[in-house]
Amino acid sequence: MTTSVPQQLRDMSQRFGALAKAAPQVMSAFRGLMGEASKSGAVPAKMKELVALAIAVHQGCADCIVFHAANARSHGASRAEVAEILGVCIEMGGGPSAVYAGKALEAFDALATEPA
């Protein structure tokens, strides 16, 4: 049975919530880092989320891919922008990145068609 991408996102959020209860100081600091690193500055937030998606693909982190695909979409990234970024991932990461790039595009597309 395959879990929908929006459900994967909810499941990941629940795991983060549980971890935040178990290690509140660490997760609070991590949330602060995420907020600061991803906000718009000289580089727009959308571009930062596309970079984060690329790194998630390169690292092969399925939950990170879903999380940053959702954030890229919420910051207005288009499918064409995601596809171009995934092309760079494949250039730099070869076959494994191609596999995870397909998962990233699937997640991005699924988030457009299913309610969160």
Side-chain angles (χ1 to χ4, degrees), residues 7-81:
Q7 185 60 50
Q8 291 173 40
L9 192 57
R10 287 189 293 273
D11 292 346
M12 186 199 69
S13 292
Q14 287 178 340
R15 288 190 296 273
F16 261 58
L19 190 53
K21 287 180 183 175
Q25 295 84 2
V26 171
M27 291 306 288
S28 177
F30 182 65
R31 275 196 216 106
L33 173 63
M34 284 175 44
E36 285 299 312
S38 63
K39 72 182 182 182
S40 286
V43 176
K46 175 176 79 170
M47 182 56 63
K48 289 180 177 185
E49 286 302 332
L50 290 169
V51 169
L53 180 60
I55 293 168
V57 165
H58 187 72
Q59 292 294 321
C61 178
D63 281 350
C64 300
I65 289 168
V66 170
F67 181 80
H68 291 292
N71 284 351
R73 181 170 286 290
S74 72
H75 285 291
S78 70
R79 189 176 197 271
E81 289 170 321

